[in-house]
Amino acid sequence: MDTSLFESVDQYIGNLFEDEDAVLKGTLKSMEDAGIPGINVSANQGKFLQVLARLCGAKKILEIGALGGYSTIWLARALPADGLLITLELEQAYADVARLNIIEAGLDPVVEIKVGKAMESLATLEANDEGPFDMIFIDADKPPYTEYFEWALKLSRPGTLIVADNVIREGKVLDDNCDDERVSGVQRFNKVLAANQQVTATIIQTVGTKEHDGMAIAVVK
Ligand SMILES: C[S@@+](CC[C@H](N)C(=O)[O-])C[C@H]1O[C@@H](n2cnc3c(N)ncnc32)[C@H](O)[C@@H]1O
């Protein structure tokens, strides 16, 4: 597929709104310097998440998958001064880079990074009664997306917005025989999401500087 038009239009949108400032550009550079893979959301996707966070008046956000803190910064910038974003990250080295970027963005008063397996951190969040969150962004390893969604529901209230990234995977979700566990993980999640009566949900396809993919968006009833 020729994706050059999608990339050019994504750049056009980015140039128009000029939202990726020096801190966000520096975050990407710090990730590159540290050898962290560039599997972050694109700038326009980050802005889209920020718009969603503002739309739901988020004061408390949970992110599953921090990487170098790029999407964290987009999201946390939507918070009020007394807001809170908790982000979960498996890799200590990534969390260290994310922490520096969050400090650089002046967001350390509102962002907490919890290092470890997301599944364990989620159980701790529930045990400590740290929910409900106003918005939850699922963007970690794909095989347990269904379980992350189930935890997200437990940490939600009516009106909570749950967003899950990378659920289309260049259309590979259409292939029932795909042996990629990331694809089967999101296929399973998409089915569970569609059948779940506790949420109103859909998936939007995403194109641009990143590969063709999709974001699931669900509101808890
Ligand atoms: C796609 S990246 C996150 C990108 C980030 N949200 C952004 O857009 O800037 C996925 C992240 O999830 C982390 N991860 C993978 N498995 C995990 C697990 N079991 N628990 C917590 N984090 C995990 C990875 O280390 C990686 O940093």
Side-chain angles (χ1 to χ4, degrees):
M1 191 185 5
D2 178 11
T3 57
S4 55
L5 179 61
F6 297 147
E7 282 170 36
S8 301
V9 172
D10 215 22
Q11 267 151 18
Y12 162 81
I13 297 167
N15 292 341
L16 202 58
F17 289 88
E18 286 186 343
D19 288 312
E20 196 191 48
D21 65 2
V23 170
L24 285 161
K25 286 189 171 83
T27 295
L28 295 180
K29 170 87 170 56
S30 74
M31 288 167 52
E32 207 180 319
D33 291 348
I36 296 177
I39 50 173
N40 50 279
V41 295
S42 69
N44 292 333
Q45 288 167 353
K47 181 68 183 298
F48 179 64
L49 291 170
Q50 191 177 86
V51 169
L52 290 181
R54 284 207 187 269
L55 187 64
C56 66
K59 283 189 80 172
K60 233 170 124 178
I61 300 175
L62 173 64
E63 177 180 64
I64 309 176
L67 196 71
Y70 186 75
S71 57
T72 316
I73 292 172
W74 281 105
L75 282 166
R77 282 179 170 174
L79 288 172
D82 61 345
L84 172 69
L85 186 154
I86 295 178
T87 186
L88 313 182
E89 176 51 52
L90 179 66
E91 303 291 343
Q92 182 68 59
Y94 296 2
D96 291 344
V97 171
R99 186 166 288 113
L100 291 178
N101 288 322
I102 286 157
I103 291 169
E104 188 64 29
L107 290 166
D108 45 312
V110 292
V111 175
E112 245 178 68
I113 307 177
K114 293 192 189 290
V115 182
K117 289 183 184 153
M119 219 70 93
E120 289 170 12
S121 302
L122 289 162
T124 307
L125 286 176
E126 209 215 3
N128 294 345
D129 214 10
E130 293 194 57
F133 292 87
D134 306 311
M135 179 174 178
I136 300 176
F137 179 44
I138 302 173
D139 192 21
D141 47 333
K142 311 307 165 195
Y145 255 36
T146 303
E147 288 69 32
Y148 292 153
F149 173 61
E150 283 161 0
W151 276 112
L153 286 175
K154 286 185 198 157
L155 292 162
S156 293
R157 53 154 177 84
T160 293
L161 183 66
I162 301 173
V163 180
D165 198 15
N166 310 122
V167 300
I168 295 299
R169 312 202 68 83
E170 295 176 297
K172 294 191 184 103
V173 286
L174 300 178
D175 179 1
D176 287 335
N177 300 314
C178 184
D179 59 5
D180 181 334
E181 62 174 8
R182 292 167 300 184
V183 175
S184 49
V186 298
Q187 283 171 326
R188 188 165 66 95
F189 163 75
N190 291 343
K191 274 192 196 150
V192 166
L193 180 71
N196 191 292
Q197 298 298 309
Q198 286 173 263
V199 295
T200 304
T202 191
I203 296 171
I204 55 157
Q205 296 188 65
T206 54
V207 292
T209 53
K210 299 278 168 173
E211 64 282 0
H212 170 217
D213 215 318
M215 268 190 201
I217 301 181
V219 183
V220 178
K221 292 185 201 164

Coordinates of all heavy atoms in Angstrom, one line a residue, residues 39-41 63-72 88-91 94 116-119 137 139-142 148 166, ligand 1:
I39 N 8.0 3.1 19.4 CA 6.7 2.6 19.2 C 5.6 3.4 20.0 O 4.6 2.9 20.4 CB 6.6 1.1 19.7 CG1 7.3 0.9 21.1 CG2 7.3 0.2 18.7 CD1 7.1 -0.5 21.7
N40 N 6.0 4.7 20.2 CA 5.1 5.6 20.8 C 4.0 6.0 19.8 O 4.1 5.8 18.6 CB 5.9 6.9 21.2 CG 6.7 7.4 20.0 OD1 7.8 6.8 19.8 ND2 6.2 8.3 19.2
V41 N 2.9 6.6 20.3 CA 1.9 7.2 19.4 C 2.5 8.3 18.6 O 3.5 8.9 18.9 CB 0.7 7.8 20.2 CG1 -0.1 6.7 20.9 CG2 1.1 8.9 21.2
E63 N -2.6 5.1 32.6 CA -2.0 4.7 31.3 C -1.3 3.3 31.5 O -0.6 3.2 32.5 CB -1.0 5.7 30.8 CG -0.3 5.3 29.6 CD 0.7 6.4 29.1 OE1 1.7 6.7 29.8 OE2 0.5 7.0 28.0
I64 N -1.5 2.4 30.6 CA -0.8 1.1 30.7 C 0.2 1.1 29.6 O -0.2 0.9 28.4 CB -1.9 -0.1 30.7 CG1 -3.0 0.1 31.7 CG2 -1.1 -1.4 30.9 CD1 -4.1 -0.9 31.6
G65 N 1.4 1.2 29.9 CA 2.5 1.3 28.9 C 3.0 2.7 28.7 O 2.5 3.5 27.9
A66 N 4.1 3.0 29.4 CA 4.6 4.4 29.4 C 5.7 4.6 28.3 O 5.8 5.7 27.8 CB 5.2 4.8 30.8
L67 N 6.5 3.6 28.1 CA 7.6 3.7 27.2 C 8.5 4.9 27.7 O 8.8 4.9 28.8 CB 7.2 3.9 25.7 CG 8.2 3.6 24.6 CD1 8.6 2.2 24.5 CD2 7.7 4.1 23.3
G68 N 8.8 5.9 26.8 CA 9.6 7.0 27.3 C 8.8 8.2 27.7 O 9.4 9.3 27.9
G69 N 7.5 8.0 27.9 CA 6.7 9.1 28.5 C 6.1 10.0 27.4 O 5.5 11.1 27.8
Y70 N 6.1 9.6 26.1 CA 5.6 10.6 25.1 C 4.1 10.7 25.2 O 3.6 11.9 25.3 CB 6.0 10.0 23.7 CG 5.7 10.9 22.6 CD1 6.5 12.1 22.3 CD2 4.6 10.7 21.7 CE1 6.2 12.9 21.3 CE2 4.3 11.5 20.7 CZ 5.1 12.6 20.4 OH 4.8 13.5 19.4
S71 N 3.3 9.6 25.1 CA 1.9 9.8 25.3 C 1.5 10.3 26.7 O 0.5 11.0 26.8 CB 1.2 8.4 25.0 OG 1.6 7.4 25.8
T72 N 2.3 9.9 27.7 CA 2.1 10.4 29.0 C 2.0 11.9 29.1 O 1.1 12.5 29.7 CB 3.2 9.9 30.0 OG1 3.5 8.5 29.7 CG2 2.9 10.1 31.4
L88 N 1.9 2.8 34.0 CA 2.5 1.6 34.3 C 3.5 1.2 33.3 O 3.2 1.2 32.1 CB 1.4 0.5 34.4 CG 0.1 0.8 35.2 CD1 -0.8 -0.4 35.2 CD2 0.5 1.3 36.6
E89 N 4.7 0.8 33.7 CA 5.7 0.4 32.7 C 6.5 -0.8 33.3 O 7.0 -0.8 34.4 CB 6.7 1.6 32.5 CG 7.8 1.3 31.6 CD 7.5 0.6 30.3 OE1 6.6 1.1 29.5 OE2 8.1 -0.4 30.0
L90 N 6.8 -1.8 32.4 CA 7.5 -3.0 32.8 C 9.0 -2.7 33.0 O 9.6 -3.2 33.9 CB 7.3 -4.0 31.7 CG 8.0 -5.4 31.9 CD1 7.4 -6.1 33.1 CD2 7.8 -6.2 30.7
E91 N 9.6 -2.0 32.0 CA 11.0 -1.8 32.0 C 11.5 -0.7 32.8 O 11.2 0.5 32.5 CB 11.4 -1.6 30.5 CG 11.0 -2.7 29.5 CD 11.8 -4.0 29.7 OE1 12.8 -4.0 30.4 OE2 11.3 -5.0 29.2
Y94 N 13.2 2.1 30.7 CA 12.3 3.0 30.0 C 11.6 4.0 31.0 O 11.5 5.2 30.7 CB 11.1 2.2 29.3 CG 11.6 1.2 28.2 CD1 12.9 1.1 27.9 CD2 10.6 0.5 27.5 CE1 13.2 0.2 26.8 CE2 10.9 -0.4 26.5 CZ 12.3 -0.5 26.2 OH 12.6 -1.4 25.2
G116 N 6.8 -2.3 36.8 CA 6.5 -3.7 37.1 C 5.6 -4.2 36.1 O 5.2 -3.5 35.1
K117 N 5.1 -5.5 36.2 CA 4.2 -6.1 35.3 C 2.8 -5.4 35.5 O 2.3 -5.3 36.6 CB 4.0 -7.6 35.6 CG 5.2 -8.4 35.2 CD 5.0 -9.8 35.4 CE 6.2 -10.6 35.1 NZ 6.3 -11.9 35.9
A118 N 2.2 -4.9 34.4 CA 1.0 -4.1 34.5 C -0.1 -4.9 35.3 O -0.8 -4.4 36.1 CB 0.5 -3.8 33.1
M119 N -0.1 -6.2 35.0 CA -1.2 -7.0 35.6 C -1.1 -6.9 37.2 O -2.1 -6.8 37.9 CB -1.0 -8.5 35.2 CG -2.3 -9.2 34.9 SD -3.2 -8.6 33.5 CE -2.5 -9.7 32.3
F137 N -5.9 4.6 29.3 CA -5.3 4.4 28.0 C -4.5 3.1 28.0 O -3.5 2.9 28.8 CB -4.4 5.5 27.6 CG -3.7 5.4 26.3 CD1 -4.4 5.0 25.2 CD2 -2.4 5.8 26.2 CE1 -3.7 4.8 23.9 CE2 -1.7 5.7 25.0 CZ -2.4 5.2 23.8
D139 N -2.0 0.6 26.3 CA -1.0 0.7 25.2 C 0.2 -0.1 25.6 O 1.3 0.3 25.4 CB -0.7 2.1 24.9 CG 0.1 2.3 23.6 OD1 0.0 1.4 22.8 OD2 0.7 3.3 23.4
A140 N 0.0 -1.3 26.2 CA 1.2 -2.1 26.6 C 1.2 -3.4 25.7 O 0.9 -3.3 24.5 CB 1.1 -2.5 28.0
D141 N 1.7 -4.5 26.2 CA 1.8 -5.7 25.4 C 0.4 -6.2 25.0 O -0.5 -6.0 25.7 CB 2.6 -6.8 26.2 CG 2.1 -7.0 27.6 OD1 1.6 -6.0 28.2 OD2 2.2 -8.1 28.1
K142 N 0.3 -6.7 23.8 CA -1.0 -7.0 23.2 C -1.7 -8.3 23.6 O -2.9 -8.3 23.7 CB -0.9 -6.9 21.6 CG -0.2 -5.7 21.1 CD -0.7 -4.4 21.6 CE 0.2 -3.2 21.3 NZ 0.0 -2.0 22.1
Y148 N -6.4 -6.6 30.4 CA -6.2 -5.2 30.8 C -7.6 -4.4 30.7 O -7.9 -3.6 31.6 CB -5.2 -4.5 29.8 CG -3.8 -4.9 30.0 CD1 -2.9 -4.8 28.9 CD2 -3.3 -5.4 31.2 CE1 -1.6 -5.3 29.0 CE2 -1.9 -5.8 31.3 CZ -1.1 -5.7 30.2 OH 0.2 -6.1 30.3
N166 N -3.6 0.3 18.8 CA -3.1 -0.8 18.0 C -4.0 -2.0 17.9 O -3.5 -3.2 18.0 CB -1.7 -1.2 18.5 CG -0.8 -0.1 18.8 OD1 -0.3 0.1 19.9 ND2 -0.5 0.7 17.8
Ligands
LIG1 C1 3.6 0.7 22.7 S1 4.6 1.0 24.0 C2 3.9 2.4 24.9 C3 3.9 3.6 24.1 C4 3.5 4.9 24.8 N1 2.2 4.7 25.4 C5 3.6 6.1 23.9 O1 2.7 6.1 23.0 O2 4.5 6.9 24.1 C6 4.3 -0.3 25.1 C7 5.0 -0.2 26.4 O3 4.4 -1.3 27.3 C8 5.5 -1.8 28.0 N2 5.1 -3.1 28.5 C9 5.1 -4.3 27.8 N3 4.7 -5.3 28.5 C10 4.3 -4.8 29.7 C11 3.8 -5.3 30.9 N4 3.5 -6.6 31.0 N5 3.5 -4.5 31.9 C12 3.8 -3.2 31.8 N6 4.3 -2.6 30.7 C13 4.5 -3.4 29.7 C14 6.7 -1.8 27.1 O4 7.9 -1.9 27.9 C15 6.5 -0.5 26.4 O5 7.2 0.5 27.0

